[in-house]
Amino acid sequence: MSGERGVLYEMFDERFRTGRCMNGDAALEVLHTGCRWAEGPLYVPAWRQVVWSDIPNDRMLRWDEETGAVGVFRRSAGHTNGNTLDGQGRLVTCEQGNRRVTRTEHDGTVSVLADRWQGKRLNSPNDATVRSDGTLWFSDPDFGITSDYEGHRAVSEIGANHVYRVDPATGEVHLAADCFGAPNGLVLSPDERRLFVSDTKDNVIRVFDVREDGELSDGRVFARGGAKPGGARAAARFDNIRFDDEGRLWVAAMGDGVHCYDPDGTLIGRLVVPEAVSNIAWGGAKRNRLFITAETSLYSVVMGVTGTHPTGSRRTD
């Protein structure tokens, strides 16, 4: 909101500057405000629009890149949270209230991709990512069933919060990882060989190796929230995560803005945002525009770095 570049960017490591992370707009642009709790932004290139979720108001909104107009994309939307695209450009949505993951077909019909595991209803799917072969991973914390604010209060049938995988050939839902307090954002590395998952309750980002069959292994911690370089405390609480095309991980860090991590796990800088940041997404014609949902608003900033596609870069073995 301020026009001063130093207010928007905070550098912790010289790589934040030399990597062009501070090159770009000097201030955030407010695209829309008036949500109750904004989440799940996604830039859809075919539409040249950003769709995002206003969870407590049970609606999805859309912002038009050509006109700047904002309208309702879907109302009574199932208290949707995260959104992504599959390899065919179809919208994949996590519906907290309906406790399922869906796909919007090109003709507008909605298909259910996952709503149960071992016969038990899912908790409240939160975020999803899709591999180039169609394999889908999604997180399933209990945020949507703990109260009626972001879904419908209910008792978990599973009794735990996991990450799941949907087989593209059979549609079967498999347990992918079960080491979480509250799994939230997740994203594949650009080469699709690792899966990164944020855990909001434990306030860490975990990374797993991904086998060809979709199984995960060798889970370890990539980053921890709660502290900045130099020992200062941070108001970070990790939500969703996205890569740029040089392997840096950008993290929606709630009250601490947007964090940027070098591929080696070092926190090198952040973007300062006036509201608690829930989600981020790359978009625009060059994929160098970062869209940010934070509490009541949708923001954007055109940057000197370029983000990857939501389904990741295609592998070149």
Side-chain angles (χ1 to χ4, degrees), residues 40-51 63 65 83 85 281-287 289 291 309-310:
L42 173 70
Y43 180 80
V44 184
W47 305 343
R48 297 200 66 178
Q49 293 181 345
V50 174
V51 297
W63 170 83
E65 186 175 30
N83 299 283
L85 295 174
W282 297 102
K286 298 180 180 179
R287 300 205 68 80
R289 189 172 190 175
F291 295 94
H309 190 272

Side-chain angles (χ1 to χ4, degrees), residues 127-146:
D127 199 11
T129 189
V130 184
R131 194 165 65 177
S132 55
D133 67 354
T135 302
L136 166 72
W137 288 267
F138 67 91
S139 57
D140 187 42
D142 58 4
F143 302 148
I145 60 174
T146 56

Side-chain angles (χ1 to χ4, degrees), residues 85-281:
L85 295 174
D86 69 7
Q88 298 182 43
R90 295 172 296 187
L91 178 66
V92 175
T93 299
C94 294
E95 301 181 12
Q96 287 192 166
N98 291 333
R99 301 168 70 171
R100 65 186 190 177
V101 181
T102 61
R103 181 178 64 216
T104 301
E105 309 296 344
H106 292 306
D107 64 3
T109 58
V110 175
S111 301
V112 178
L113 302 180
D115 61 359
R116 294 178 182 271
W117 174 64
Q118 294 186 344
K120 300 175 182 179
R121 291 192 71 188
L122 299 173
N123 294 328
S124 56
N126 185 282
D127 199 11
T129 189
V130 184
R131 194 165 65 177
S132 55
D133 67 354
T135 302
L136 166 72
W137 288 267
F138 67 91
S139 57
D140 187 42
D142 58 4
F143 302 148
I145 60 174
T146 56
S147 75
D148 291 319
Y149 188 70
E150 292 190 3
H152 305 289
R153 186 176 181 181
V155 175
S156 172
E157 295 184 15
I158 296 172
N161 303 319
H162 301 320
V163 169
Y164 298 95
R165 171 177 56 88
V166 181
D167 187 286
T170 66
E172 186 176 352
V173 178
H174 301 269
L175 176 65
D178 60 359
C179 56
F180 304 99
N184 198 323
L186 71 173
V187 67
L188 284 165
S189 61
D191 63 7
E192 301 188 334
R193 291 190 171 95
R194 292 173 296 162
L195 180 72
F196 289 72
V197 185
S198 69
D199 187 328
T200 300
K201 183 176 181 180
D202 294 344
N203 208 17
V204 298
I205 297 172
R206 302 186 188 279
V207 57
F208 300 85
D209 294 333
V210 181
R211 299 189 335 202
E212 288 296 325
D213 62 3
E215 292 288 331
L216 305 181
S217 63
D218 193 25
R220 64 259 188 211
V221 172
F222 173 78
R224 296 185 184 276
K228 296 179 184 178
R233 296 296 298 169
R237 180 64 60 177
F238 294 144
D239 204 304
N240 96 311
I241 49 183
R242 293 291 180 260
F243 277 102
D244 68 25
D245 64 1
E246 295 190 13
R248 290 175 292 246
L249 189 67
W250 296 77
V251 181
M254 297 296 285
D256 208 46
V258 178
H259 284 191
C260 178
Y261 290 86
D262 188 77
D264 69 3
T266 302
L267 175 61
I268 60 174
R270 73 178 183 117
L271 304 181
V272 179
V273 181
E275 297 182 271
V277 178
S278 60
N279 266 238
I280 54 177

